[in-house]
Amino acid sequence: MARIELRHITKRWGAVVAVADMNLVIEDGEFVAILGPSGCGKSTTLFMLAGIYMPTAGDLLFDGARVNEVEAKDRNVGIVFQSYALYPHMSVRRNIAFPLRFKGVPRHQAERMVEEAARMVRVEELLDRMPAQLSGGQQQRVALARALVKKPQLLLLDEPLSNLDAALRLTMRSEIKRLQRETGITTVLVTHDQIEATTMADRIVVMRSGRIEQIGTAEDLYRRPDSLFVASFIGAPPINLLAGEARGGALHIGEAQLALRGEARGPVFLGVRPEAVVLDSTGHPALVEDIEPMGRETLVLLSTPLGALRALVGGAAIPHRPGDRVAFSFPPEETLLFDRASERRLADVHAALASRG
């Protein structure tokens, strides 16, 4: 296994900066997800770790040794691509064994290692099949076995679940987590899917426009986002964001006024998670605009004095319909305030609806 360190890593393509001054430490045996939208630099970072791309500037270290110029084949890194990239003319057995050809492993030992890797990912009964005879989930497992067979010090996963249906993604998330725990391999997952990142990784690196926006656990990113971008990117349904102005110890949003707890001035955004919006009989007036059933929960779209709000209500059926008059509230400690100019969260500042008798 390996401790990975990126020191001031930059990758340019001419005038385009794909990754800018990236600093990150991944501890030995840690599972880290790099999360962000398309074009944020996450795959470029993974390809630099793999040795496919060379950094333009900075140092990339494996266990303290600089590996910037070390070729991919010499890094002992396993990688699973989005497309799985299995060789169609080779059996499952030969696909899994392929990386061992470059390591000079004796044939009898290679066969034993292939069978061990196949058992680990539960494809031992498929060794003599061809890739075209496999389902998407089976191909994904074979690709994992091929990445694991050479016992890499670093496992890289590039959007590995994006080609699978929803039910299979759930199964494979659990399988990958199990494999990572059992092997203890330092693992980096690149994904645009926040559910994959938050359910699988020990820590998450959120990237935006080639830079790290925030690093933390799933709870850190959800409850204490550093920026408006992270607050908006993490969470489903997305956070409610309301533009207002903080002045005189109060938050003014349209004609409404909320009490401020903490110091804030000037234009701000108020953030409230949909699950923090409570429909009750003692809150403030609102109109139900629409209902969106979501299985075990229901999303209620509200028109309020603050503006449009989404409320996530438990249960598949609720006693409200479009056009109903309801009341809403939210706990002040569940609110987030962001400076509109910098888009940074104002720490320890919350907004409270006025109490109603």
Side-chain angles (χ1 to χ4, degrees), residues 243-295:
E245 184 167 344
R247 63 177 186 271
L251 175 60
H252 301 265
I253 300 177
E255 299 300 316
Q257 181 174 308
L258 291 80
L260 273 181
R261 298 182 180 180
E263 293 293 325
R265 290 183 181 180
V268 296
F269 282 109
L270 171 66
V272 184
R273 298 285 182 190
E275 52 271 38
V277 179
V278 179
L279 301 186
D280 56 30
S281 58
T282 60
H284 294 252
L287 176 70
V288 176
E289 294 285 356
D290 202 0
I291 303 287
E292 295 183 7
M294 300 178 65

Side-chain angles (χ1 to χ4, degrees), residues 240-245 250-260 268-273 276-278 283-287 289 302-310 326-332 335-337 340 350-354 356:
N240 294 295
L241 291 172
L242 303 166
E245 184 167 344
L251 175 60
H252 301 265
I253 300 177
E255 299 300 316
Q257 181 174 308
L258 291 80
L260 273 181
V268 296
F269 282 109
L270 171 66
V272 184
R273 298 285 182 190
V277 179
V278 179
H284 294 252
L287 176 70
E289 294 285 356
L302 302 171
S303 177
T304 81
L306 301 175
L309 281 178
R310 292 179 292 271
V326 296
F328 78 98
S329 63
F330 46 76
T335 63
L336 301 166
L337 262 77
R340 244 193 284 175
H350 304 283
L353 289 163
R356 292 173 65 88

Side-chain angles (χ1 to χ4, degrees), residues 76-316:
N76 195 23
V77 170
I79 184 166
V80 178
F81 294 101
Q82 179 179 352
S83 63
Y84 313 140
L86 299 180
Y87 298 105
H89 61 288
M90 293 184 182
S91 66
V92 167
R93 187 186 303 276
R94 291 180 61 203
N95 262 285
I96 296 174
F98 190 80
L100 301 178
R101 293 171 55 182
F102 301 101
K103 296 176 72 74
V105 178
R107 184 171 179 177
H108 68 282
Q109 184 181 348
E111 289 176 357
R112 193 165 59 248
M113 293 172 70
V114 167
E115 289 172 1
E116 179 185 347
R119 280 194 301 273
M120 192 180 299
V121 302
R122 298 169 182 170
V123 295
E124 61 269 32
E125 296 180 358
L126 306 177
L127 286 171
D128 295 320
R129 292 192 189 180
M130 304 299 285
Q133 298 173 297
L134 305 179
S135 67
Q138 289 169 337
Q139 290 185 46
Q140 152 66 265
R141 289 170 186 269
V142 173
L144 276 168
R146 185 177 61 187
L148 293 169
V149 71
K150 62 180 180 179
K151 303 187 186 305
Q153 60 180 332
L154 175 64
L155 177 63
L156 302 174
L157 307 172
D158 183 23
E159 303 271 9
L161 308 181
S162 58
N163 291 335
L164 304 179
D165 61 46
L168 199 48
R169 280 201 301 271
L170 181 63
T171 300
M172 290 309 303
R173 286 205 304 263
S174 299
E175 284 293 291
I176 291 172
K177 284 175 66 177
R178 174 186 65 81
L179 285 166
Q180 199 276 334
R181 282 196 304 267
E182 289 180 0
T183 61
I185 295 175
T186 307
T187 301
V188 177
L189 165 72
V190 160
T191 181
H192 67 277
D193 187 324
Q194 59 165 306
I195 302 299
E196 286 181 18
T198 56
T199 56
M200 295 169 69
D202 301 319
R203 284 191 304 150
I204 301 164
V205 179
V206 181
M207 291 190 68
R208 178 191 189 189
S209 301
R211 296 184 180 273
I212 293 177
E213 192 81 4
Q214 186 173 352
I215 303 172
T217 65
E219 183 179 7
D220 290 335
L221 300 177
Y222 184 79
R223 301 191 65 84
R224 294 172 292 277
D226 286 347
S227 67
L228 191 65
F229 175 81
V230 175
S232 302
F233 198 77
I234 301 292
I239 192 170
N240 294 295
L241 291 172
L242 303 166
E245 184 167 344
R247 63 177 186 271
L251 175 60
H252 301 265
I253 300 177
E255 299 300 316
Q257 181 174 308
L258 291 80
L260 273 181
R261 298 182 180 180
E263 293 293 325
R265 290 183 181 180
V268 296
F269 282 109
L270 171 66
V272 184
R273 298 285 182 190
E275 52 271 38
V277 179
V278 179
L279 301 186
D280 56 30
S281 58
T282 60
H284 294 252
L287 176 70
V288 176
E289 294 285 356
D290 202 0
I291 303 287
E292 295 183 7
M294 300 178 65
R296 293 180 303 169
E297 299 166 314
T298 302
L299 189 64
V300 183
L301 308 181
L302 302 171
S303 177
T304 81
L306 301 175
L309 281 178
R310 292 179 292 271
L312 192 62
V313 180

